[in-house]
Amino acid sequence: MSSLNSSQKQAIEYVSGPLLIVAGAGTGKTTVITEKIAYLIENKLATPEQILALTFTDRSSAEMLERVDKLINIGYSEIQISTFHAFCQRLLEKYALDIGLPNRFKLLTETDAWLLVRKNLDRFNLDYYRPLGNPVRHIHELLKHFSKCKDELISTKDYLDYAEKVRLDADNANFVEGEAERLNEVANAYHSYNQLLLENNALDFGDLVFYAIKLLEGRPQILKAVRKRFKYILVDEFQDVNWAQYFLVQKIVGDDGQLTVVGDDDQSIYAFRGASVSNIMHFKEDFPNAKEIVLTENYRSNQDVLDSAYKLIINNNPDRLEVKLKIDKRLISKICNTNKGVAHLHSATLDEEVKTVVENIKKIKEINVDAVWNDFAILVRANNHAEPFINALEKQGIPYEFLASAGLYRQPIVLDCLSFFKIIDNYHESSAIFRILNLPFLNFNEDDLHKFSGLCKKKAISYYEGLKRVMEFGLSPEGNKTVEKIYNILNKGMKRGRAEKPTVTLYGFLNDVGYLEYLTKEEENNNTSVIRQIYQLKQFFDSISSFENNVPDAGIRNYLEHYDLLSQSGEKGAMYQPKEVADSVNVLTVHSAKGLEFKYVFVVNLVEDRFPTRIRGEAIEMPIELIKESLPEGDGHFQEERRLFYVAITRAKEKLFLLSANDYGGVRSKKISRFLHELGYVVCEEKNEKKKYLYPDMEKKEMEKGQFVYELPNKFSFSQIKSYATCPYQYKLSHILKIPTKGNASFSFGQTMHGALQEFYEKMQELNEVRQVSLFGPVEPLASSKEFVVPTLDELLKMYEKHWLDDWYESKTQKNKYYAKGKEILRIFYKNNEGCWTVPVALEGWFAIRVGKYHLHGRIDRIDRRIDGSLEIIDYKTGKVKEKVVGEDKDQLLIYQIAAEQLPEYQTLGVPGQLTYYYLEGNTSVSFLGTEAEKEKLLLKINNVIEKIYSADFKATPGEFTCKFCDFKDICQHRV
C-alpha cells in the first residue's frame, strides 16, 4: 500500500457502498482491483469465498488470481475470480434443473453452433437467408444476430411478438416492403435455434448469462443464497460489459450490495462482441449514491504521448464520462521523460512504410545499448495487414513474434498431423505422403525426394505404392531406410486407427516417427520456432480431445469430416499465446495489444479505410425497438475506431511512431487517417513513383536467436511437486511445455472408476436433498441418524458405462478384462456398503493452501462425517492394495488434512479425524492421521521444491527406476 498514490488508496479502502473507479490507461487499474481484494481479506471484511470478481477473458482472470495469490497470506477453499461466462456456467451446472434446463449441458462454441445449424438447416424454414447457390452462406450472421439478442435479453417471445406487430402494421409507410416477412423469418429462426439447442442438451455462450438471469429472477431463494454468499462484487474492465452482463451484476448486488466497478469509457473497444459503453455511462444513474474516484496518474507513458491521446479522444465528446460526470480525465505522466514522444512518418508506398519501420527499429536498437527486441511493437488494425512487416523482419534477420489469435489449422506442425490423418483415412493421398517425407528430422535428401516423386509420376503410381516399391527407384541407402521406416509407421498407424481414437493414433505416429524427440532436442537448443510448435501441438491435441468427448465412436474419418466442416464454416483454429516468449519484436493487432505496454510502438497503415476501417453495419440489423442499451449521440463506428486508436497510442512508454503512406496497391492514393488530422498532422501532396520490390538494396540476413524465457507459475499442485522431485526435466516437459504423453490402461481405468463414483455420490446428495451452504462450497452437515435414499446398483453400473474410457489399452482382450473387472468391483463395493451408506459432506472439494510465498492447490475426492462428528478424508485408489501408507501417497493425504484444518469453509464441517485411501480393487481401506511434525516436515519439503523450480533449474536427473516409469522415456535424450 505504501507505493500507491492517494487516489488508489482511497479506491482500495472505500467499503461504504457502490464505487465507480474511472481508471485511465496506465493508471494501475489491475493493481487497484487486486489490492482491494487483498485489503478486504487481510482486514477480515470478507473471506476469499465471499468475494466475486468478474472480468472478460480467461487470461485476465488468471492474471488477477495470480496477483491476489501473491498478496494474501492465507489459503482458501474457493475464490471466485472468473469470467462472466465461467461464473454463469457454474451457477447453471448447480441450479439449471430449477428452471427446467439440463444441468449436464454441452457448451457450444460459435463453430459448434454453426455445425449444429448446418446439420439441421431444413428445420429453419429459411427463404430470405438461404440463397440457392450457397445455402449455408448466412449461418454465421444469423448466429451473430442471435447472440446479440441474448446480450440484449431479448427472448424468442419478444422477437416473435415484435415480428407479429410489424406484420399487422405492414401497411404503415414506416416499413419497407417485404420487411415484415424478413423479420418473421428471423424471429422464427431464433426460436428454432433455441429449441434445437435444448433438444441437444446444449447451450451457447450467450445462453449462459441469459439463463443465469432467468434463474435468479425466477427462483428468489437461489438469488437470496447467491447474495448471501457474495458480500463484495468487483467488476474489471466495466466499460466492456454488455446489457445482459450489467443486468446480472445489478441482480446479484441488489439494493444493499457492495459493488466496485473499474473501467475507462475511452478504452471500450469490443462492440463487435456485444460490449456497450453506455452501461458505464449510466452507472451513476442506476447507483445514484455511488462514489466516484478518478485515477489519472499514469505510470506508463511520457507526457507527449498522453497529450496526443487526450487531444484525439476528446473528439468523442459529448459521449464520454468526462462530459457526462463533469470530471477531468487528462492523464498526468509520472515518468521523468521530457523528450518528444510522438512522430508521424509518411511514405510514398507501403513498401517504403515497411522499410521505415524496420530501419527505425534497427536504429533505436543500435543507439540504445539497453534496448531489447521485446521493447518494440508493430500494431496493425487487422491480422492481414501484418504480412509485409513480418516478411521484412524475416528478411532482415530480426526475431519477431506474431501474436495472432487464430490460425492454428494453418501452422506447419498441425498440417503435418493432418497429413498423417489423411493418409490413414485414404492411402492414395500422395500430397500428404510428400509432406511427411519432408519432415525436417527425417533428413530425406533432395536427390532422393526428386527421384522418388519423379518415378512415381512416370510409373503412374501413388506415393503409397511407391513406398512399397522403393527398391526399384535407386535411392541412396539412407533414402531406402527412411522410406521403409515411413511405410512401416504408416501401416502401423492404419492398424491403430481402426481401433483407437485419433489422439491415441496421432501420439503413436509422432512418437514412432521421431517427431516428439525432435521437438524436445530443439527446445533444449533454444529453437524458438520449435518451442512455438510445441505449444501449437498441445492446442491441436486439445481440439481433437474436445471432438472425441462430444462425438460417440470418434474415429479419424469422423474427425476429418469434422475438420472439413470446420473449414467450410471459416474456422481457422483458436490459438492462445504463451506468456513465455523469446526476445523478439511483437507484431499484433491493436485489440490484442489491450493491457500490454512497450517502450517503442509503431502504429501502421494510418489511412482511411484501414484505420479507421470502413463502416460495416450488421448484416442482420437489430430492430431499434428491441434494443435496451442507449445509443450514442455521435457516429458509433468512428467513436469505436477512435477509442481503438486511443488504446494503440497509450501502449507506448517512450516513443510512438504513427505511419502512413499514399499507395497501398489500389488505383487511387489513400487519404491519411482522420485521426492523424485530429492530432494536427498533414501531408503535402507529392507525386511518388511506386517501387516494385521490397528492400531491393538489402541482403537477406540470418535470423537472430532470442533467448526463450519461461514464466513460472505461482500456484502448484501436488503432482507438479512430485514430478519435479522425481526429475526436474520431466517437470519441464510435462508442466511447462506440456508435451503430449502416452496414456496407459491403469490411468484410463482409474479415471473411469473415479468418474462413476463421483456421479454416484452426487446423485446420492441430490436424492437426499443435500444443498450446499454456499454456491460453490461444501454441503451442510447431515444428521447421522437419517436413513438415506441410495441410487440402485443398476444406476451405478450405468454410470460406470457412461464414464468408461477405452483409450490406451494394449489389446481388446486387456480392455475387456478391465471392463469386466470394473463392474465386479462396483458390485462388491455396493454390497459391502449396504446398510451403512453415508452422504458425503463434500465432493471434489477444491482448495489452495499457503506454503511460504506460494499457493498449493488440489481437489479432495470425498469427505464423510464419522460417527464421532470428525471428518474422514477419502481418496480412491485403483492400484495395488498397500498395507501401510508411506512416501508420496502419505504426503498427498497430509496435504488434504492441512487444507481441511486451515480453511474456514472446511473448519465449519468439523475436524479431520481420519485420512483414508480406499482401494477399489480389494474393497479395502488404509487409514491414518498426520501428526504436527509430519505436516511441518512436508510443508518445508514442498517449499524447498518450489524454490528449486523458481531457480529455473530443469536439469535432468536420470536413473534406472526414474526413467523406467517416466512418461517421456521414449523421447528424452537424457534417458538411461
Side-chain angles (χ1 to χ4, degrees), residues 818-924:
Y818 266 101
Y819 183 78
K821 181 172 79 169
K823 286 201 167 186
E824 182 61 23
I825 287 172
L826 292 178
R827 288 190 185 98
I828 297 171
F829 165 81
Y830 197 91
K831 183 178 179 181
N832 288 349
N833 280 279
E834 282 185 313
C836 56
W837 293 105
T838 59
V839 178
V841 295
L843 288 171
E844 286 288 297
W846 191 91
F847 65 84
I849 59 172
R850 191 79 177 184
V851 180
K853 298 181 293 183
Y854 314 99
H855 275 88
L856 185 76
H857 65 88
R859 287 189 185 276
I860 304 173
D861 283 353
R862 181 175 133 206
I863 302 178
D864 287 357
R865 175 163 285 106
R866 303 170 73 210
I867 295 175
D868 63 3
S870 66
L871 302 179
E872 180 179 16
I873 296 173
I874 300 169
D875 197 69
Y876 304 122
K877 288 287 186 182
T878 53
K880 184 180 178 182
V881 178
K882 297 179 181 178
E883 294 182 2
K884 188 177 180 181
V885 181
V886 295
E888 291 167 345
D889 287 345
K890 187 170 187 177
D891 289 347
Q892 185 169 357
L893 284 182
L894 281 173
I895 290 169
Y896 296 166
Q897 179 183 343
I898 293 167
E901 290 172 343
Q902 281 189 6
L903 305 181
E905 287 217 0
Y906 289 105
Q907 289 173 350
T908 60
L909 299 175
V911 178
Q914 190 167 279
L915 309 177
T916 298
Y917 272 125
Y918 192 100
Y919 292 95
L920 293 168
E921 191 163 345
N923 271 286
T924 60

Side-chain angles (χ1 to χ4, degrees), residues 661-664 666-671 685:
N662 292 332
D663 179 20
Y664 288 85
V667 176
R668 297 180 180 178
S669 293
K670 292 286 187 182
K671 294 181 179 179
E685 295 294 332

Side-chain angles (χ1 to χ4, degrees), residues 892-960:
Q892 185 169 357
L893 284 182
L894 281 173
I895 290 169
Y896 296 166
Q897 179 183 343
I898 293 167
E901 290 172 343
Q902 281 189 6
L903 305 181
E905 287 217 0
Y906 289 105
Q907 289 173 350
T908 60
L909 299 175
V911 178
Q914 190 167 279
L915 309 177
T916 298
Y917 272 125
Y918 192 100
Y919 292 95
L920 293 168
E921 191 163 345
N923 271 286
T924 60
S925 60
V926 178
S927 303
F928 71 99
L929 190 67
T931 65
E932 290 301 318
E934 286 175 325
K935 289 183 287 183
E936 288 179 12
K937 182 179 178 182
L938 174 60
L939 290 176
L940 180 62
K941 172 184 170 182
I942 291 171
N943 190 71
N944 289 339
V945 170
I946 295 175
E947 292 289 352
K948 289 179 181 178
I949 291 173
Y950 264 78
S951 72
D953 178 9
F954 300 117
K955 185 179 179 181
T957 54
E960 186 175 346

Side-chain angles (χ1 to χ4, degrees), residues 298-318:
N298 177 283
Y299 297 89
R300 176 188 298 157
S301 309
N302 72 24
Q303 194 62 50
D304 194 25
V305 170
L306 299 180
D307 289 343
S308 293
Y310 186 75
K311 186 176 182 181
L312 169 88
I313 204 63
I314 57 175
N315 289 281
N316 273 0
N317 289 341

Side-chain angles (χ1 to χ4, degrees), residues 21 46 57 165 266 316 407 497 510 529 548 607 628 676 679 702 767 782 809 833 936 940 959:
I21 304 172
T57 65
K165 178 179 178 295
D266 293 332
N316 273 0
L510 295 174
S529 175
E548 292 173 349
V607 293
K628 297 181 176 68
L676 290 176
L679 291 176
E702 186 177 346
L767 289 172
L782 297 169
Y809 292 96
N833 280 279
E936 288 179 12
L940 180 62

Side-chain angles (χ1 to χ4, degrees), residues 88 150 269 280 515 518 538 559 593 624 813 819 920 973:
C88 291
K150 292 172 184 179
I269 59 173
I280 194 171
Y515 215 136
Y518 161 75
K538 170 65 167 61
Y559 177 76
I624 293 177
T813 300
Y819 183 78
L920 293 168
Q973 58 186 316

Side-chain angles (χ1 to χ4, degrees), residues 338-369:
T338 58
N339 295 331
K340 187 170 178 59
V342 185
H344 173 224
L345 306 175
H346 186 73
S347 303
T349 66
L350 172 60
D351 287 1
E352 288 188 5
E353 180 183 332
V354 172
K355 182 176 181 179
T356 300
V357 170
V358 175
E359 286 182 340
N360 272 279
I361 290 174
K362 291 168 60 181
K363 183 178 179 181
I364 293 170
K365 185 82 162 44
E366 290 169 5
I367 293 173
N368 298 327
V369 292

Side-chain angles (χ1 to χ4, degrees), residues 345-347 349-368 371 373 376 378 388-389 391-398 585 600 602 604 655 657 659 691 693-699 701:
L345 306 175
H346 186 73
S347 303
T349 66
L350 172 60
D351 287 1
E352 288 188 5
E353 180 183 332
V354 172
K355 182 176 181 179
T356 300
V357 170
V358 175
E359 286 182 340
N360 272 279
I361 290 174
K362 291 168 60 181
K363 183 178 179 181
I364 293 170
K365 185 82 162 44
E366 290 169 5
I367 293 173
N368 298 327
W373 295 120
F376 299 90
I378 300 172
F389 298 92
N391 292 339
L393 292 170
E394 282 188 349
K395 191 172 182 67
Q396 286 296 291
I398 297 175
V585 174
Y600 311 101
F602 296 79
V604 300
K655 190 77 175 177
F657 297 89
L659 293 105
K691 291 187 178 180
Y693 306 105
L694 187 61
Y695 299 147
D697 56 334
M698 293 186 179
E699 294 182 3
K701 297 181 179 178

